[in-house]
Amino acid sequence: MTVEQTRQAIAGDWISIAPEIRPSAQKAPNGTLKPFYLKREFKALAGDRFELAIVNSADPYGKVPLARILIRGHMHWQGEHPIAPGAQKVDFVADEAYEVTPLLQAFADVLNQVAAQGYAKWEVGQTQSVFGKNFAPFGLSAGKNFMEYDLVYVSHGLLFWGARHVDGRGFDTEQNRPTNLQIPLARK
């Protein structure tokens, strides 16, 4: 697929087909990387805009939701990615919104300890914008839009992005752009 064909193919709403697992950058006491469980809802909108909602969970089955994250912004298409014919390099920039909603009291309590400055008290079900602010739990810096150097690939009616690196590194530089595919999203 060309860039234009891929843009057209991803237009619309997509969801996780099952709870997903990723390696996080945080380590357990034994030195192994902690797992990161989530479900995604993605909307590819006109004008190369996107909306991504993520629900993080404490368990692999998604039965104990911790937080909901909503990111809105723009996709910047960078050309072909070598992972598969038709795959495209895409930079996702959260330049419109970045919101966090605690869904579990224990997570709200943690946020009140590590992310209290500049925010109202974190409460379950109450959304706060972290857009353009320091937010240590997610490594966000004031005045800098969150961005990931990712990839997009459409095959068999499914939408693939890049798989997280096994060492927990993010997609924060061109050199860290993913080189494998993760669990796909299905049409909603």
Side-chain angles (χ1 to χ4, degrees):
M1 294 175 121
T2 65
V3 170
E4 193 52 44
Q5 289 169 325
T6 303
R7 279 181 168 136
Q8 292 173 9
I10 70 168
D13 297 357
W14 300 84
I15 58 171
S16 295
I17 57 176
E20 303 174 36
I21 185 171
R22 307 249 188 330
S24 74
Q26 297 180 354
K27 292 187 178 184
N30 67 1
T32 61
L33 295 177
K34 288 184 178 183
F36 184 76
Y37 304 107
L38 64 120
K39 290 182 182 177
R40 298 176 288 159
E41 289 190 22
F42 175 73
K43 294 180 183 182
L45 306 167
D48 289 327
R49 293 181 55 249
F50 74 91
E51 182 174 298
L52 175 63
I54 299 168
V55 174
N56 292 29
S57 299
D59 69 306
Y61 302 108
K63 302 291 184 197
V64 183
L66 294 173
R68 182 175 188 274
I69 302 160
L70 178 68
I71 301 170
R72 285 193 306 268
H74 287 86
M75 296 177 280
H76 301 283
W77 300 82
Q78 304 298 332
E80 292 184 14
H81 190 290
I83 189 66
Q88 302 292 329
K89 294 178 185 178
V90 180
D91 300 342
F92 289 89
V93 182
D95 57 3
E96 292 183 4
Y98 201 130
E99 300 172 350
V100 177
T101 308
L103 301 175
L104 188 70
Q105 187 60 52
F107 186 68
D109 292 344
V110 167
L111 291 179
N112 282 318
Q113 291 176 7
V114 300
Q117 188 173 351
Y119 297 97
K121 181 178 180 186
W122 291 95
E123 297 184 32
V124 173
Q126 299 298 309
T127 301
Q128 292 196 56
S129 174
V130 298
F131 183 70
K133 301 177 183 177
N134 286 322
F135 191 68
F138 296 173
L140 301 178
S141 300
K144 184 177 178 187
N145 291 331
F146 173 77
M147 182 178 128
E148 286 197 329
Y149 297 81
D150 207 336
L151 68 88
V152 168
Y153 178 60
V154 179
S155 181
H156 299 86
L158 299 170
L159 173 59
F160 295 83
W161 287 348
R164 288 288 165 194
H165 300 291
V166 294
D167 61 6
R169 276 178 296 139
F171 303 156
D172 57 343
T173 66
E174 180 63 39
Q175 294 75 25
N176 285 343
R177 191 180 295 275
T179 56
N180 292 286
L181 301 174
Q182 72 180 18
I183 295 171
L185 297 169
R187 284 255 176 228
K188 187 172 178 180

PDB file of all heavy atoms in Angstrom, residues 138-150:
ATOM      1  N   PHE A 138       4.503   9.496  33.581  1.00  0.00           N
ATOM      2  CA  PHE A 138       4.578   9.133  32.163  1.00  0.00           C
ATOM      3  C   PHE A 138       5.777   9.782  31.474  1.00  0.00           C
ATOM      4  O   PHE A 138       5.903   9.727  30.252  1.00  0.00           O
ATOM      5  CB  PHE A 138       3.303   9.539  31.430  1.00  0.00           C
ATOM      6  CG  PHE A 138       2.054   8.830  31.892  1.00  0.00           C
ATOM      7  CD1 PHE A 138       0.821   9.205  31.404  1.00  0.00           C
ATOM      8  CD2 PHE A 138       2.099   7.786  32.808  1.00  0.00           C
ATOM      9  CE1 PHE A 138      -0.340   8.565  31.813  1.00  0.00           C
ATOM     10  CE2 PHE A 138       0.946   7.134  33.233  1.00  0.00           C
ATOM     11  CZ  PHE A 138      -0.281   7.529  32.731  1.00  0.00           C
ATOM     12  N   GLY A 139       6.642  10.428  32.244  1.00  0.00           N
ATOM     13  CA  GLY A 139       7.832  11.041  31.669  1.00  0.00           C
ATOM     14  C   GLY A 139       7.554  12.265  30.823  1.00  0.00           C
ATOM     15  O   GLY A 139       8.335  12.602  29.936  1.00  0.00           O
ATOM     16  N   LEU A 140       6.437  12.967  31.083  1.00  0.00           N
ATOM     17  CA  LEU A 140       6.088  14.158  30.307  1.00  0.00           C
ATOM     18  C   LEU A 140       6.763  15.396  30.884  1.00  0.00           C
ATOM     19  O   LEU A 140       6.847  15.551  32.110  1.00  0.00           O
ATOM     20  CB  LEU A 140       4.575  14.363  30.296  1.00  0.00           C
ATOM     21  CG  LEU A 140       3.746  13.222  29.719  1.00  0.00           C
ATOM     22  CD1 LEU A 140       2.263  13.540  29.825  1.00  0.00           C
ATOM     23  CD2 LEU A 140       4.141  12.919  28.284  1.00  0.00           C
ATOM     24  N   SER A 141       7.223  16.273  29.997  1.00  0.00           N
ATOM     25  CA  SER A 141       7.872  17.521  30.389  1.00  0.00           C
ATOM     26  C   SER A 141       7.027  18.707  29.948  1.00  0.00           C
ATOM     27  O   SER A 141       6.473  18.702  28.843  1.00  0.00           O
ATOM     28  CB  SER A 141       9.251  17.634  29.744  1.00  0.00           C
ATOM     29  OG  SER A 141      10.072  16.570  30.148  1.00  0.00           O
ATOM     30  N   ALA A 142       6.973  19.719  30.781  1.00  0.00           N
ATOM     31  CA  ALA A 142       6.206  20.924  30.470  1.00  0.00           C
ATOM     32  C   ALA A 142       6.676  21.531  29.150  1.00  0.00           C
ATOM     33  O   ALA A 142       7.880  21.597  28.878  1.00  0.00           O
ATOM     34  CB  ALA A 142       6.340  21.942  31.591  1.00  0.00           C
ATOM     35  N   GLY A 143       5.721  21.935  28.340  1.00  0.00           N
ATOM     36  CA  GLY A 143       6.023  22.618  27.089  1.00  0.00           C
ATOM     37  C   GLY A 143       6.462  21.722  25.955  1.00  0.00           C
ATOM     38  O   GLY A 143       6.770  22.204  24.867  1.00  0.00           O
ATOM     39  N   LYS A 144       6.477  20.416  26.170  1.00  0.00           N
ATOM     40  CA  LYS A 144       6.921  19.482  25.117  1.00  0.00           C
ATOM     41  C   LYS A 144       5.812  18.477  24.838  1.00  0.00           C
ATOM     42  O   LYS A 144       5.344  17.797  25.749  1.00  0.00           O
ATOM     43  CB  LYS A 144       8.193  18.755  25.570  1.00  0.00           C
ATOM     44  CG  LYS A 144       8.772  17.848  24.525  1.00  0.00           C
ATOM     45  CD  LYS A 144      10.067  17.225  25.015  1.00  0.00           C
ATOM     46  CE  LYS A 144      10.607  16.280  23.956  1.00  0.00           C
ATOM     47  NZ  LYS A 144      11.759  15.529  24.423  1.00  0.00           N
ATOM     48  N   ASN A 145       5.392  18.387  23.572  1.00  0.00           N
ATOM     49  CA  ASN A 145       4.351  17.432  23.204  1.00  0.00           C
ATOM     50  C   ASN A 145       4.908  16.012  23.196  1.00  0.00           C
ATOM     51  O   ASN A 145       6.000  15.762  22.681  1.00  0.00           O
ATOM     52  CB  ASN A 145       3.788  17.729  21.810  1.00  0.00           C
ATOM     53  CG  ASN A 145       2.979  18.996  21.770  1.00  0.00           C
ATOM     54  OD1 ASN A 145       2.386  19.395  22.770  1.00  0.00           O
ATOM     55  ND2 ASN A 145       2.956  19.646  20.634  1.00  0.00           N
ATOM     56  N   PHE A 146       4.141  15.084  23.747  1.00  0.00           N
ATOM     57  CA  PHE A 146       4.492  13.680  23.695  1.00  0.00           C
ATOM     58  C   PHE A 146       4.484  13.235  22.236  1.00  0.00           C
ATOM     59  O   PHE A 146       3.595  13.593  21.463  1.00  0.00           O
ATOM     60  CB  PHE A 146       3.478  12.863  24.500  1.00  0.00           C
ATOM     61  CG  PHE A 146       3.659  11.385  24.374  1.00  0.00           C
ATOM     62  CD1 PHE A 146       4.658  10.743  25.064  1.00  0.00           C
ATOM     63  CD2 PHE A 146       2.835  10.644  23.552  1.00  0.00           C
ATOM     64  CE1 PHE A 146       4.837   9.374  24.956  1.00  0.00           C
ATOM     65  CE2 PHE A 146       3.000   9.278  23.427  1.00  0.00           C
ATOM     66  CZ  PHE A 146       3.997   8.638  24.132  1.00  0.00           C
ATOM     67  N   MET A 147       5.477  12.451  21.841  1.00  0.00           N
ATOM     68  CA  MET A 147       5.566  11.974  20.462  1.00  0.00           C
ATOM     69  C   MET A 147       6.177  10.589  20.437  1.00  0.00           C
ATOM     70  O   MET A 147       7.067  10.288  21.229  1.00  0.00           O
ATOM     71  CB  MET A 147       6.426  12.907  19.624  1.00  0.00           C
ATOM     72  CG  MET A 147       6.507  12.494  18.170  1.00  0.00           C
ATOM     73  SD  MET A 147       7.496  13.667  17.228  1.00  0.00           S
ATOM     74  CE  MET A 147       8.625  12.538  16.453  1.00  0.00           C
ATOM     75  N   GLU A 148       5.680   9.749  19.539  1.00  0.00           N
ATOM     76  CA  GLU A 148       6.271   8.435  19.331  1.00  0.00           C
ATOM     77  C   GLU A 148       6.599   8.238  17.863  1.00  0.00           C
ATOM     78  O   GLU A 148       5.794   8.572  16.984  1.00  0.00           O
ATOM     79  CB  GLU A 148       5.328   7.321  19.797  1.00  0.00           C
ATOM     80  CG  GLU A 148       5.251   7.222  21.292  1.00  0.00           C
ATOM     81  CD  GLU A 148       4.660   5.911  21.780  1.00  0.00           C
ATOM     82  OE1 GLU A 148       3.807   5.337  21.067  1.00  0.00           O
ATOM     83  OE2 GLU A 148       5.035   5.490  22.880  1.00  0.00           O
ATOM     84  N   TYR A 149       7.777   7.684  17.611  1.00  0.00           N
ATOM     85  CA  TYR A 149       8.213   7.279  16.276  1.00  0.00           C
ATOM     86  C   TYR A 149       7.738   5.838  16.105  1.00  0.00           C
ATOM     87  O   TYR A 149       8.329   4.916  16.648  1.00  0.00           O
ATOM     88  CB  TYR A 149       9.741   7.345  16.166  1.00  0.00           C
ATOM     89  CG  TYR A 149      10.324   8.718  16.336  1.00  0.00           C
ATOM     90  CD1 TYR A 149      10.521   9.277  17.597  1.00  0.00           C
ATOM     91  CD2 TYR A 149      10.695   9.462  15.219  1.00  0.00           C
ATOM     92  CE1 TYR A 149      11.070  10.541  17.747  1.00  0.00           C
ATOM     93  CE2 TYR A 149      11.240  10.729  15.361  1.00  0.00           C
ATOM     94  CZ  TYR A 149      11.428  11.254  16.624  1.00  0.00           C
ATOM     95  OH  TYR A 149      11.974  12.514  16.759  1.00  0.00           O
ATOM     96  N   ASP A 150       6.663   5.647  15.372  1.00  0.00           N
ATOM     97  CA  ASP A 150       6.019   4.346  15.309  1.00  0.00           C
ATOM     98  C   ASP A 150       5.911   3.876  13.862  1.00  0.00           C
ATOM     99  O   ASP A 150       6.551   4.417  12.964  1.00  0.00           O
ATOM    100  CB  ASP A 150       4.633   4.425  15.968  1.00  0.00           C
ATOM    101  CG  ASP A 150       4.157   3.100  16.547  1.00  0.00           C
ATOM    102  OD1 ASP A 150       4.602   2.034  16.100  1.00  0.00           O
ATOM    103  OD2 ASP A 150       3.306   3.147  17.458  1.00  0.00           O
TER     104      ASP A 150
END
